[in-house]
């Protein structure tokens, strides 16, 4: 059984390039899917307080029988916890539900800049990391300006997880991440059923390599060092989504997928939205 290659984070932890997203699975579905995914070779599992399935994710982890230290468990917390003490309480609740002593990567789910505590939230994670309760510091949906505020306070996050797929390639955000050694993680890497998988350019590459359209898009992510966390409830899709490390897209093929960038593809604006 092949595992995904990993990328080293600033903190020293190693993050698999491909993992399982768990939104919008409920506890029961998450337990079944997480167990199945780990058996298929997944080691990175992504959940959040807001998904309300951390208990199920933890159950799936235990059922898998794979030792905790071989897994990379990520969760995220909501806006009401954006203070140093609040982050600690959020961590304790999540760790309890997951049934773990530490979390590999803890992310601020949305910056909520209007609340003015997007820096404090990251400082809360840094304090947990100092105690070994968290192995890497993460943000999600932070724009470069939000990250700059964090960096100005003396912390560089390990990971920023953003909405990213060939229709939303987020070039400016990625350049900022690269400049600071922040790893980019793609949420909704398959484009959330927006028709991306039916695009002729995707289908042509799939046919040329004997891959599925989803594999082409996931390969586009990981070949560029973007960590992808597709969700699927179907066993055969779980397996196919992880099986993208034996093919190589040509430079031309990667470039042709950039032509799918669309101004109409909605990107959730994290200055406006957040929970
Ligand atoms: P399903 O769970 O029924 O397989 P994203 O992670 O980009 O939001 O995409 C998740 C969506 O893509 C889910 O609706 C999931 O449906 C679907 N999906 C996941 N893997 C595949 C695949 N290999 N082929 C087609 N659709 C997929």
């Amino acid at each position: 059984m092949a595992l995904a290659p990993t990328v080293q984070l600033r903190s020293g932890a190693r993050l698999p390039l491909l993992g399982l997203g768990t939104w919008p699975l409920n506890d029961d579905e998450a337990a079944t899917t997480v167990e199945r995914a780990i058996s298929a070779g997944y080691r990175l599992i992504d959940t959040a307080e807001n998904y309300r399935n951390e208990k199920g994710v933890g159950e799936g982890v235990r059922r898998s029988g794979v030792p905790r230290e071989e897994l990379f468990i990520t969760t995220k917390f909501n806006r009401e916890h954006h203070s140093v003490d609040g982050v600690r309480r959020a961590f304790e609740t999540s760790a309890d539900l997951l049934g773990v002593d530490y979390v590999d990567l803890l992310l601020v789910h949305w910056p909520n800049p209007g609340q003015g505590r997007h820096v404090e939230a990251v400082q809360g994670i840094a304090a947990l990391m100092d105690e070994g309760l968290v192995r890497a510091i993460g943000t999600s949906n932070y724009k470069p300006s939000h990250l700059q505020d964090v960096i100005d306070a003396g912390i560089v996050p390990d990971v920023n997880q953003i909405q990213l797929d060939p229709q939303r390639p987020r070039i400016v955000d990625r350049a900022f991440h690269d400049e600071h050694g922040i790893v980019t993680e793609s949420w909704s890497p398959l484009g959330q059923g927006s028709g991306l998988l039916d695009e002729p350019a995707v289908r042509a590459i799939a046919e040329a390599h004997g891959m599925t359209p989803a594999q082409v898009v996931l390969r586009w992510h990981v070949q560029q060092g973007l960590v992808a966390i597709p969700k699927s409830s179907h066993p055969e899709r779980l397996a196919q989504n992880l099986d993208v490390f034996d093919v190589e897209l040509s430079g031309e093929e990667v470039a042709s997928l950039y032509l799918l960038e669309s101004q109409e593809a909605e990107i959730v604006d994290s200055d406006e939205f957040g929970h």
Side-chain angles (χ1 to χ4, degrees), residues 29-250:
E29 293 163 337
T32 307
T33 306
V34 166
E35 179 189 12
R36 201 179 266 158
I38 295 173
S39 303
Y42 285 74
R43 291 296 176 265
L44 162 61
I45 311 291
D46 183 278
T47 180
E49 171 190 13
N50 210 56
Y51 303 168
R52 297 166 179 267
N53 64 14
E54 289 169 303
K55 197 161 190 265
V57 167
E59 177 63 29
V61 163
R62 280 184 298 283
R63 282 189 205 159
S64 78
V66 170
R68 167 71 185 93
E69 62 276 13
E70 292 179 21
L71 299 172
F72 194 105
I73 300 178
T74 302
T75 193
K76 324 182 186 79
F77 56 83
N78 287 341
R79 58 182 287 162
E80 63 265 31
H81 309 295
H82 288 200
S83 66
V84 171
D85 288 345
V87 173
R88 180 172 299 272
R89 286 192 295 275
F91 163 80
E92 284 167 359
T93 305
S94 287
D96 257 12
L97 286 167
L98 287 162
V100 298
D101 303 328
Y102 68 93
V103 165
D104 293 277
L105 173 66
L106 184 62
L107 303 108
V108 188
H109 205 147
W110 290 89
N112 295 282
Q115 202 177 234
R117 299 210 299 265
H118 55 291
V119 174
E120 218 177 315
V122 178
Q123 287 168 330
I125 303 175
L128 295 173
M129 194 158 102
D130 287 344
E131 295 171 44
L133 298 172
V134 165
R135 294 182 63 230
I137 299 174
T139 52
S140 188
N141 303 300
Y142 274 47
K143 296 183 181 182
S145 61
H146 308 139
L147 287 171
Q148 189 63 56
D149 292 340
V150 175
I151 292 167
D152 288 346
I155 301 175
V156 183
D158 292 289
V159 173
N160 190 31
Q161 184 184 114
I162 57 174
Q163 185 181 14
L164 198 165
D165 66 78
Q167 293 175 331
R168 305 164 181 82
R170 312 295 299 270
I171 301 295
V172 173
D173 299 75
R174 284 159 61 190
F176 185 89
H177 299 168
D178 291 348
E179 189 187 322
H180 295 281
I182 299 168
V183 169
T184 305
E185 197 173 25
S186 309
W187 67 257
S188 271
L190 299 174
Q192 276 183 322
S194 63
L196 173 63
L197 302 184
D198 294 322
E199 284 288 343
V202 176
R203 294 201 160 260
I205 299 170
E207 220 159 277
H209 288 275
M211 300 162 82
T212 67
Q215 286 177 314
V216 169
V217 172
L218 294 171
R219 178 67 203 177
W220 178 88
H221 287 272
V222 300
Q223 191 166 314
Q224 300 180 88
L226 304 168
V227 176
I229 44 169
K231 166 258 169 191
S232 180
S233 311
H234 296 87
E236 70 285 0
R237 287 180 175 175
L238 280 177
Q240 89 174 227
N241 290 352
L242 186 61
D243 184 17
V244 295
F245 295 101
D246 297 331
V247 267
E248 181 85 15
L249 304 184
S250 69

Side-chain angles (χ1 to χ4, degrees), residues 4-10 12-17 72 183-184 225-227:
T6 57
V7 56
Q8 181 155 355
L9 304 177
R10 300 174 52 88
R14 299 199 69 95
L15 173 65
L17 274 171
F72 194 105
V183 169
T184 305
L226 304 168
V227 176

